[in-house]
Amino acid sequence: MEIHLLRFSNTIPRTGLHRPIRSPPRQSKTISSSASAGGGGTSSFDAVAYEAERLRLDTAARDSMAMVADRDIVGGGGEGEVDGDGKAWKWRIRKRIWDLMEAEGIARNPRPVHHRIPNFDGAGSAAVALGRLEEFEKAECVKVNPDSPQKQVRFLTLTGGKKLLTPQPRLRTGFFSVLESQLLAPSSIMEVCTSVGVAKFGRPIGLDEKIKVDLIVIGSVVVDPRTGARLGKGEGFAELEYGMLRYMGAIDDSTLVVTSAHDRQLVDDIPTANLLIHDVPVDIICTPTQVIYTNTSIPKPQGIYWDKLSPEKLGQIRVLRDLKRRIERETGQVLPSGPSEKLPPTAQRK
C-alpha cells in the first residue's frame, strides 16, 4: 500500500492543538503463520458471493437512505429550523459536504460518496498521522470502522502488531470480528483490511467476550473541531456499536474516540444542543494536514438507549435482540422501545 508523505501547514488552527508529526512508526515483526489461521478460515468461504451480496445490500441501503433523507428534509421545516425528530438539520449538513466533496474533486472511490462515510483525497496521509499518535502507538487493541477511508488505519493496526476489532458491515452478519496480527501471514494483511478479508479471516465474538478496547477509530461525514460533534452517514450503527461495547465493559468514558477526515469535512455549524443522547463525539481529528484535539465536553453515550431504538432497527440486528432478551431476563422488566421508522433493507441475509 502506498503511504503518502504527510505535510502539515505552518499555521496553528484556531480549532485545537496542532501536533507536529514525529518519526515514522516502527515496523512490525515478520508474521510467519499461515494465511488461513484466522477465525473464519478459507476452505468454505465464497468470497465472490459474499462481496456480490454485500454490494447489493449496500446499494439498496444507500437508495433507501436517500429516500429517507429527502423525506426528512422536506418534512423537517425550513432552512435553519430544527425538525421534530432531530434529523432534517443533520441531513442538510451531510448533503452539503457530500456535494462539496464531489464538486471540488476531493471524493475518491467508491463513488458517489453520498450516503457513505466518504473516501477522500489524502486519506492515506490522514491515516499516517493517526498512526503516529502516541495514543495509537500505545494501544494494544483498536476498534476501527469498516469504511474505505479508514482502510489504511486497519492496515497500520495489524502491521503494528495490534489487535483489530472491526464490526461486520451494518452488523448484518453478526457483531464484531477480532483479527490478531500474529495469526496472519504478511501476504494476507492487505486482504484482511477489506470487508471480504474480515469475513474470511476474522474471529467472530459475542457479547460475553472479555476484551479491552484501548482506542476507537470512527468514520465521519462531518465533524466540528471546536466541539468534537460528529455526524455519520445517518444509519446509527457507530452509536449502536459504541453502546454495545459499553455494555460489555470493553470501553468507558476515558476511551478516546478518533476520526480521520478531509479538512473540508470540518464544519462549525453542528448545533450541539440538538445532538441526541446516543451521538458519539470525537476526541481527536486527523486530516491530511493537521491533528486536532477537540477537548470535547459532549458527554459520551453510556450504553444502548432502548427508548430511541425502533422496532424495525431491533428486528434487523440479531445481537441487539439477544442483548435485549438478556437484560429483560436478568432484570425481569420489559425494556422500552422507540417509535417505528422505515429502514433500508440492510440486515436480511441468507
Side-chain angles (χ1 to χ4, degrees):
M1 174 177 292
E2 180 181 0
I3 299 180
H4 304 281
L5 292 176
L6 183 63
R7 294 183 178 180
F8 273 46
S9 61
N10 293 323
T11 58
I12 298 178
R14 62 181 175 81
T15 51
L17 294 177
H18 189 187
R19 173 172 289 189
I21 289 294
R22 296 189 293 275
S23 58
R26 57 187 179 276
Q27 298 296 317
S28 60
K29 297 180 180 179
T30 301
I31 304 170
S32 59
S33 302
S34 68
S36 61
T42 60
S43 59
S44 61
F45 182 77
D46 189 335
V48 174
Y50 178 90
E51 182 67 359
E53 179 72 350
R54 184 186 72 83
L55 292 174
R56 182 187 71 80
L57 289 169
D58 284 353
T59 299
R62 289 195 307 276
D63 290 345
S64 185
M65 290 305 292
M67 291 188 290
V68 169
D70 290 343
R71 180 199 66 201
D72 288 344
I73 290 174
V74 170
E79 188 68 33
E81 296 180 22
V82 178
D83 54 303
D85 61 2
K87 293 180 180 179
W89 67 269
K90 291 183 177 181
W91 284 119
R92 293 190 187 100
I93 296 175
R94 291 183 185 110
K95 184 177 186 304
R96 186 184 81 219
I97 297 302
W98 283 324
D99 288 348
L100 178 150
M101 294 181 75
E102 291 286 354
E104 295 190 359
I106 297 168
R108 293 294 179 266
N109 287 328
R111 304 276 296 278
V113 293
H114 294 74
H115 302 288
R116 305 180 193 269
I117 297 296
N119 199 7
F120 58 90
D121 181 38
S125 295
V128 169
L130 195 157
R132 290 172 176 166
L133 293 174
E134 181 180 359
E135 295 83 356
F136 180 84
E137 291 178 345
K138 289 182 175 179
E140 296 180 4
C141 178
V142 183
K143 184 263 186 184
V144 187
N145 59 299
D147 301 285
S148 296
Q150 284 73 45
K151 180 178 179 180
Q152 190 164 328
V153 180
R154 299 191 292 276
F155 177 80
L156 293 173
T157 299
L158 290 173
T159 56
K162 305 177 188 301
K163 183 182 295 184
L164 172 65
L165 181 69
T166 190
Q168 291 293 327
R170 294 187 172 90
L171 301 177
R172 68 165 64 96
T173 59
F175 187 31
F176 286 93
S177 293
V178 171
L179 298 116
E180 301 186 50
S181 55
Q182 66 268 26
L183 301 179
L184 300 166
S187 59
S188 70
I189 297 293
M190 287 295 293
E191 183 183 9
V192 167
C193 296
T194 67
S195 294
V196 169
V198 169
K200 182 190 288 188
F201 297 105
R203 176 176 65 85
I205 67 170
L207 293 166
D208 294 319
E209 183 83 10
K210 301 301 180 185
I211 189 169
K212 180 181 182 296
V213 176
D214 301 303
L215 191 70
I216 293 175
V217 179
I218 192 171
S220 300
V221 175
V222 294
V223 62
D224 188 334
R226 303 170 310 157
T227 65
R230 168 245 179 219
L231 301 181
K233 60 180 179 288
E235 293 182 287
F237 286 99
E239 289 75 17
L240 292 173
E241 293 158 9
Y242 186 94
M244 285 186 280
L245 288 174
R246 286 295 295 248
Y247 171 83
M248 294 169 63
I251 60 174
D252 56 30
D253 279 336
S254 68
T255 308
L256 295 180
V257 178
V258 188
T259 192
S260 60
H262 195 275
D263 294 86
R264 296 291 275 153
Q265 291 175 257
L266 307 184
V267 303
D268 60 4
D269 60 344
I270 298 179
T272 56
N274 298 329
L275 293 175
L276 301 177
I277 193 171
H278 56 263
D279 288 327
V280 179
V282 300
D283 299 288
I284 307 174
I285 305 167
C286 296
T287 80
T289 66
Q290 57 188 314
V291 171
I292 302 167
Y293 285 72
T294 68
N295 298 312
T296 184
S297 61
I298 300 171
K300 290 176 177 168
Q302 300 299 299
I304 299 292
Y305 296 95
W306 299 99
D307 59 333
K308 308 294 184 184
L309 187 61
S310 71
E312 291 79 11
K313 179 74 79 174
L314 185 66
Q316 280 190 338
I317 305 173
R318 185 186 63 203
V319 67
L320 274 178
R321 298 195 301 274
D322 293 343
L323 177 56
K324 184 173 185 288
R325 283 193 295 266
R326 174 184 296 191
I327 294 175
E328 290 177 335
R329 184 173 62 249
E330 291 174 351
T331 63
Q333 297 179 344
V334 176
L335 292 171
S337 62
S340 295
E341 62 178 328
K342 182 177 175 56
L343 291 177
T346 58
Q348 293 75 20
R349 191 178 188 86
K350 294 182 180 179

